[in-house]
Amino acid sequence: MPKIIDHDERRSHIVDVTWELITQGGIEAATMREIAAAAGFANGALKLYFPSKEDIIQATYERALGMMREYVELDELRGLTALRELCVSSMPIDEDRIAAGRVLLTFWQLSLTNPKLQDKYLEHIRSWRGLLHRYLAEGREDGDIVTETPDEQLVDEVVLINAGANVMSLVAGEFSTIALQRQHLESFFARLTRP
Amino acid sequence: MPKIIDHDERRSHIVDVTWELITQGGIEAATMREIAAAAGFANGALKLYFPSKEDIIQATYERALGMMREYVELDELRGLTALRELCVSSMPIDEDRIAAGRVLLTFWQLSLTNPKLQDKYLEHIRSWRGLLHRYLAEGREDGDIVTETPDEQLVDEVVLINAGANVMSLVAGEFSTIALQRQHLESFFARLTRP
């Protein structure tokens, strides 16, 4: 009887392996050769599942996004409450999320020279910023958010603090602690509720 | 007459070339082979000037730091004025500074798996945070800074916004604009002067 190969399972296994290589050894460790070896494939066989390294990196990045999406529980929420949940849950506030930041750092690096990965990232940023705008608008409608700071500036502030925290928790976590991240968000939310 | 070789000039040339490779093609383009070829050296000859790739990357990162230091003019300044100069000048507010951010992104990535580069980065962060603390303390002494937010939180906020802006101006510059960066800093400074 021929062996049945589960294509999706193989792809998922390759992403697991790439995730491990990136979080353990960084971008330099995640070569096609290393990925194939760690996944137990002959070098050329990877191509059956992913046409190029770019595709593997993209799938690994999507795993990171998917992981973050699972942390964020937005159902039923709106306005300020939804905003708070979205902002807090997507910060690198535990070991797993800090590791996901490492995948993100690799993805940023590669997206700088790869238009396809860059498009993917801009698509994510557009939808994230859109969601932040929506919750801010709802929060103003509900009368919870009254700050005079324009929404576009608030959205960008959340994005910069989040990106900065992802980097700093990796490269200088002894200074930029999780406790400080929480304080930044608390101060931010307090400001939203004041004119 | 034997040709006189200026060791420092050669090192500086190698750093120029590495800078170009990183800002044009990212970390993947800056291999020892590519650096040697672009600098006009035989592959092994690079070792006469830099023992390892790590040393080249470190020297290139130091060039980025040196560049940022030149932008910041702190002589005679103290307190809130010095703080403002330090914060504004070290943001990626023009093309050259955005390019320096790219070198920084590469350095972060490599520092994650290289203890020597990581020590170098932590040394920089320690001194940067120390300077921010000093100016905040002076600003309070002068009565210009009166916010109740603790200095450690303010320092970390500057660091996160700066790191976030460095990343976002590279990977999503169409959203995280220079104008928004300036607005963030203006709002931050306005907050410092209110209880």
Side-chain angles (χ1 to χ4, degrees):
Chain A
M1 229 176 76
K3 218 162 90 186
I4 294 163
I5 293 170
D6 184 330
H7 202 82
D8 286 345
E9 201 183 288
R10 289 279 171 94
R11 282 174 57 96
S12 171
H13 175 56
I14 293 167
V15 170
D16 288 345
V17 160
T18 308
W19 182 283
E20 279 305 307
L21 286 171
I22 289 176
T23 55
Q24 303 300 316
I27 186 179
E28 297 203 307
T31 62
M32 286 296 260
R33 183 191 302 266
E34 282 297 325
I35 296 168
F41 288 104
N43 209 341
L46 270 187
K47 293 233 156 47
L48 292 171
Y49 306 99
F50 291 99
S52 70
K53 181 171 170 182
E54 162 191 290
D55 297 289
I56 301 182
I57 296 294
Q58 184 169 322
T60 309
Y61 167 68
E62 274 164 12
R63 161 92 47 103
L65 284 187
M67 202 180 105
M68 295 314 290
R69 239 176 263 124
E70 271 178 40
Y71 283 122
V72 183
E73 291 178 17
L74 290 170
D75 5 61
E76 313 282 317
L77 301 184
R78 62 169 269 134
L80 187 56
T81 324
L83 185 70
R84 175 182 283 275
E85 170 62 17
L86 179 59
C87 291
V88 174
S89 300
S90 52
M91 291 284 274
I93 48 177
D94 58 31
E95 286 309 311
D96 282 348
R97 275 170 258 212
I98 292 173
R102 190 140 176 178
V103 173
L104 186 59
L105 189 56
T106 296
F107 189 82
W108 283 332
Q109 181 81 51
L110 296 177
S111 77
L112 291 178
T113 50
N114 186 315
K116 196 174 147 192
L117 298 183
Q118 188 166 44
D119 282 353
K120 197 79 207 165
Y121 190 65
L122 290 177
E123 186 190 308
H124 163 65
I125 286 288
R126 197 172 289 118
S127 104
W128 184 22
R129 293 180 82 108
L131 209 51
L132 291 168
H133 266 293
R134 180 180 131 196
Y135 295 142
L136 281 168
E138 287 174 359
R140 290 196 190 270
E141 223 175 272
D142 301 343
D144 295 328
I145 297 176
V146 295
T147 176
E148 280 161 22
T149 308
D151 285 4
E152 181 60 11
Q153 184 182 334
L154 296 170
V155 164
D156 197 61
E157 187 177 341
V158 169
V159 171
L160 296 193
I161 287 284
N162 185 286
N166 267 297
V167 169
M168 284 298 142
S169 65
L170 287 170
V171 297
E174 62 188 87
F175 294 107
S176 291
T177 62
I178 292 170
L180 281 169
Q181 288 182 38
R182 293 192 180 276
Q183 281 174 251
H184 296 312
L185 291 182
E186 285 318 308
S187 298
F188 176 77
F189 289 117
R191 270 190 277 135
L192 295 184
T193 62
R194 287 193 302 257
Chain B
M1 229 177 75
K3 218 161 91 185
I4 295 163
I5 294 170
D6 184 331
H7 202 82
D8 286 346
E9 200 184 289
R10 289 278 172 95
R11 282 175 57 97
S12 172
H13 175 57
I14 293 167
V15 170
D16 287 345
V17 159
T18 308
W19 182 283
E20 280 304 308
L21 287 171
I22 290 175
T23 55
Q24 301 302 314
I27 186 177
E28 298 202 305
T31 62
M32 286 295 260
R33 185 190 302 266
E34 282 297 327
I35 295 168
F41 288 104
N43 208 342
L46 271 187
K47 292 234 157 47
L48 292 172
Y49 305 100
F50 291 101
S52 70
K53 181 172 169 181
E54 161 191 290
D55 297 289
I56 302 182
I57 296 295
Q58 184 170 321
T60 309
Y61 167 68
E62 275 163 11
R63 161 94 45 107
L65 283 188
M67 203 181 106
M68 296 314 290
R69 240 176 262 123
E70 272 177 39
Y71 284 123
V72 183
E73 291 178 16
L74 291 170
D75 3 59
E76 313 284 318
L77 301 182
R78 63 169 269 133
L80 187 55
T81 325
L83 186 70
R84 176 182 282 275
E85 170 62 17
L86 179 61
C87 291
V88 174
S89 300
S90 53
M91 290 285 273
I93 49 176
D94 58 32
E95 287 309 311
D96 282 348
R97 275 171 257 213
I98 292 173
R102 190 140 175 179
V103 173
L104 186 59
L105 190 55
T106 297
F107 190 83
W108 283 332
Q109 181 80 51
L110 296 177
S111 78
L112 290 178
T113 51
N114 186 314
K116 197 176 148 192
L117 297 183
Q118 188 166 43
D119 282 352
K120 197 80 207 163
Y121 190 66
L122 290 177
E123 187 190 310
H124 163 65
I125 286 288
R126 197 171 290 118
S127 103
W128 182 23
R129 294 179 81 108
L131 209 52
L132 291 167
H133 267 293
R134 180 180 132 196
Y135 295 143
L136 281 167
E138 287 174 359
R140 290 195 190 270
E141 223 175 274
D142 301 343
D144 296 329
I145 298 177
V146 296
T147 176
E148 279 162 23
T149 309
D151 285 3
E152 181 60 11
Q153 186 182 333
L154 296 170
V155 164
D156 197 61
E157 187 177 342
V158 169
V159 171
L160 296 193
I161 288 283
N162 185 287
N166 267 297
V167 169
M168 284 298 142
S169 65
L170 287 171
V171 298
E174 62 189 89
F175 294 106
S176 291
T177 61
I178 291 169
L180 281 168
Q181 289 182 35
R182 292 190 180 277
Q183 281 173 249
H184 296 313
L185 291 182
E186 285 317 309
S187 299
F188 176 77
F189 288 117
R191 270 190 278 134
L192 296 185
T193 62
R194 287 193 302 258

